[in-house]
Amino acid sequence: MLIVNEAAEAFMESHGSRLRASTRTEYQRLISGAIVPALGRFGIREVARADVIRLHTSLKATPRKANFALAVLSKLMSWCEVEGLRDPNSNPCRQIKKYREASRQRFLSDDELDRLGGVLKDLTDEQAESPYVIAAIRLLLLTGARLGEILTLEWRYIDLQRGLISLPESKTGQKAVFLNEAAVELLRGLPR
């Protein structure tokens, strides 16, 4: 009988290629760090609702991680059903109540912004870091865009005339990021 550890490997080989790189990395981290240690030796057909609840409860100190581990395990179990490794409609993750997650919004204080600005200025003056790395950090501050959106930014997405970045794909699909004058000037000053 196939065990959870083996099923998880097969799942990542099959399903992992469909995931964005960052999502795939997070899936793998949760599988190897939480799911396999708790359930890895169970037969894939033997995993019961009580086992899933025990795993979810063991992670309650970090609600986001607990909920995401539950979601990844549920995806794994659904995949196992499709592959004939579990009976249809036998996913033991169904209807398990997720933990409430606190908002994760965080803004830098004026003091933190001043210190970061000073460090970025020093790095620029000393040419100790790539101008693109420094610009990426500044764009994050000026636009509120996600890290992955800035790190994968391409010149063809940028319209300096209209003050707009048109992202063809972000975590939420197509997205427009509006640029203030400081962001436009920052981008105009970068060599292509």
Side-chain angles (χ1 to χ4, degrees), residues 9-29:
E9 287 179 22
F11 167 72
M12 287 306 291
E13 284 178 26
S14 171
H15 183 70
S17 62
R18 298 181 197 149
L19 301 171
R20 296 174 64 115
S22 59
T23 304
R24 187 174 46 251
T25 299
E26 189 68 11
Y27 268 48
Q28 194 59 59
R29 187 181 69 78

Side-chain angles (χ1 to χ4, degrees), residues 55-67 99-100:
L55 167 63
H56 192 237
T57 303
S58 74
L59 300 170
K60 71 181 176 185
T62 51
R64 182 180 176 277
K65 180 180 179 180
N67 292 340
Y99 293 113
R100 182 181 300 253

Side-chain angles (χ1 to χ4, degrees), residues 38-188:
L39 304 172
R41 294 283 172 225
F42 285 61
I44 198 66
R45 290 180 179 270
E46 296 171 349
V47 177
R49 181 178 171 80
D51 302 316
V52 176
I53 290 171
R54 199 169 18 264
L55 167 63
H56 192 237
T57 303
S58 74
L59 300 170
K60 71 181 176 185
T62 51
R64 182 180 176 277
K65 180 180 179 180
N67 292 340
F68 197 31
L70 179 64
V72 171
L73 182 58
S74 181
K75 193 75 151 169
L76 168 62
M77 292 298 172
S78 293
W79 177 84
C80 287
E81 288 178 15
V82 169
E83 295 297 312
L85 302 172
R86 282 186 68 93
D87 293 334
N89 300 313
S90 67
N91 188 335
C93 302
R94 285 200 183 106
Q95 298 181 350
I96 293 177
K97 188 172 180 174
K98 293 184 177 176
Y99 293 113
R100 182 181 300 253
E101 296 180 35
S103 175
R104 297 178 348 154
Q105 197 170 41
R106 160 93 160 74
F107 299 97
L108 296 179
S109 69
D110 289 343
D111 183 49
E112 290 169 325
L113 282 170
D114 288 343
R115 286 192 321 230
L116 180 57
V119 169
L120 294 176
K121 183 184 181 322
D122 291 346
L123 290 171
T124 300
D125 292 346
E126 297 166 12
Q127 296 181 344
E129 187 57 74
S130 161
Y132 299 103
V133 170
I134 294 168
I137 295 168
R138 287 185 170 144
L139 274 177
L140 287 167
L141 293 168
L142 293 169
T143 64
R146 289 182 169 92
L147 178 63
E149 294 167 347
I150 296 299
L151 292 180
T152 59
L153 190 58
E154 297 180 23
W155 283 109
R156 62 188 171 127
Y157 304 154
I158 300 170
D159 183 344
L160 293 175
Q161 290 292 97
R162 293 173 43 211
L164 185 68
I165 298 173
S166 298
L167 298 170
E169 187 179 328
S170 74
K171 187 174 183 176
T172 58
Q174 284 186 338
K175 179 179 176 182
V177 176
F178 298 95
L179 300 172
N180 59 27
E181 192 56 42
V184 169
E185 289 307 312
L186 172 67
L187 289 167
R188 277 200 177 115

